[in-house]
Amino acid sequence: MDLEIKGRHALVCAASKGLGRACAIALAEDGVHLTLVARGREALEDTARMIRNLAGVMVEVVAADVTTDEGRARILAACSQPDILITNAGGPKPGNFREWSRDDWLAALDANMLAPIALIKATVDGMMERGFGRIVNITSAAVKAPIDILGLSNGARSGLTGFVAGLARSTVSRNVTINNLLPGPFTTDRLEATLRADAALSGRSYEEVVAQWKARNPAGRFGVPEEFGRTCAFLCSAHAGYINGQNLLLDGGAYPGTF
């Protein structure tokens, strides 16, 4: 399927690894030019070279911390008018909420709620003026089914979800959609850290935890980033203009609810 976004420009956050990287690759395969953002320059440059060789699109990189005013200023100076915005940030540390300080909570809110809102604020009006925009926030399946050791993520990402629910209805008439992708367990560094934290807290071995997590998922496996990236690319396509304000689970059917 031709997604009809060839020649568009996407700003992709946390794009050097994991799900952000997969989204960037999928968009590039459909001819989208990219501005890639991450804190670590080396991994970011490696990803950019790979994508240029793979797809032949223009790829610019900005090594910056999206949670800071200075970092966002540099990002927006490089890409002030994206057609597509993918917000993404590494999840906050897992653990017991009794051990988290106010600073821990503020860091989680900065990364997983306030930074995405700031980028949306900076770009959404331009998208509406131009008559095309796709904003996809990578959040977490924990928004629908909270995980006890991920309380920082549960809280911050749910705040972003509520914000998007209010905003998305006011942009779609100008062909600007805002949706959230809620990944379950995908094979990323983040998942490995969560599994190791679960093993440490429960006293089980890492191998036991991995086997149990896979066994309790209806798919019997973890997701792979490539399938996440292709889903994101479709949401960014010209064909997805009637999908708006949604929280789309990619979790192998793990969420047990009807709605």
Side-chain angles (χ1 to χ4, degrees):
M1 177 188 292
D2 180 0
L3 299 187
E4 298 182 18
I5 50 176
K6 184 176 181 180
R8 298 284 187 185
H9 199 116
L11 172 59
V12 186
C13 297
S16 62
K17 298 179 182 178
L19 300 182
R21 181 178 186 269
C23 293
I25 292 170
L27 289 168
E29 288 174 338
D30 283 289
V32 176
H33 304 300
L34 302 170
T35 298
L36 306 181
V37 176
R39 286 177 293 181
R41 178 169 292 278
E42 183 176 355
L44 195 58
E45 293 283 7
D46 288 344
T47 295
R49 279 192 294 271
M50 183 275 293
I51 291 175
R52 292 186 193 106
N53 292 334
L54 172 71
V57 297
M58 294 185 295
V59 185
E60 184 175 7
V61 302
V62 183
D65 185 348
V66 73
T67 68
T68 68
D69 290 338
E70 186 273 337
R72 287 191 297 275
R74 290 178 53 216
I75 292 163
L76 292 168
C79 183
S80 62
Q81 297 187 41
D83 304 297
I84 296 165
L85 170 64
I86 311 298
T87 78
N88 184 27
K93 64 183 180 182
N96 187 318
F97 83 96
R98 297 169 183 83
E99 300 171 357
W100 296 328
S101 67
R102 175 177 172 80
D103 286 343
D104 292 328
W105 280 105
L106 292 176
L109 291 169
D110 275 338
N112 299 127
M113 179 181 172
L114 299 179
I117 290 173
L119 290 176
I120 293 169
K121 179 181 177 181
T123 58
V124 69
D125 289 342
M127 293 177 180
M128 293 173 68
E129 289 171 5
R130 296 189 300 275
F132 181 90
R134 299 288 184 263
I135 299 173
V136 177
N137 304 296
I138 300 176
T139 63
S140 170
V143 171
K144 289 276 285 185
I147 300 170
D148 57 355
I149 64 170
L150 298 182
L152 291 170
S153 179
N154 297 341
R157 296 188 195 278
S158 293
L160 176 63
T161 302
F163 169 79
V164 166
L167 177 63
R169 275 75 186 177
S170 68
T171 65
V172 67
S173 66
R174 303 297 297 274
N175 194 25
V176 178
T177 64
I178 311 176
N179 293 289
N180 305 312
L181 282 180
L182 283 57
F186 278 77
T187 52
T188 63
D189 292 344
R190 169 65 171 172
L191 175 62
E192 182 176 353
T194 301
L195 293 171
R196 292 195 181 281
D198 190 357
L201 289 169
S202 66
R204 294 172 292 167
S205 72
Y206 173 76
E207 291 72 21
E208 284 180 291
V209 170
V210 169
Q212 289 173 2
W213 276 54
K214 287 182 177 180
R216 70 190 186 205
N217 190 293
R221 66 176 178 90
F222 296 141
V224 295
E226 291 77 10
E227 56 194 328
F228 186 94
R230 294 310 308 170
T231 302
C232 180
F234 177 76
L235 272 186
C236 296
S237 75
H239 309 297
Y242 211 55
I243 303 173
N244 183 54
Q246 300 303 304
N247 296 290
L248 304 179
L249 276 168
L250 288 83
D251 70 347
Y255 177 67
T258 303
F259 303 104

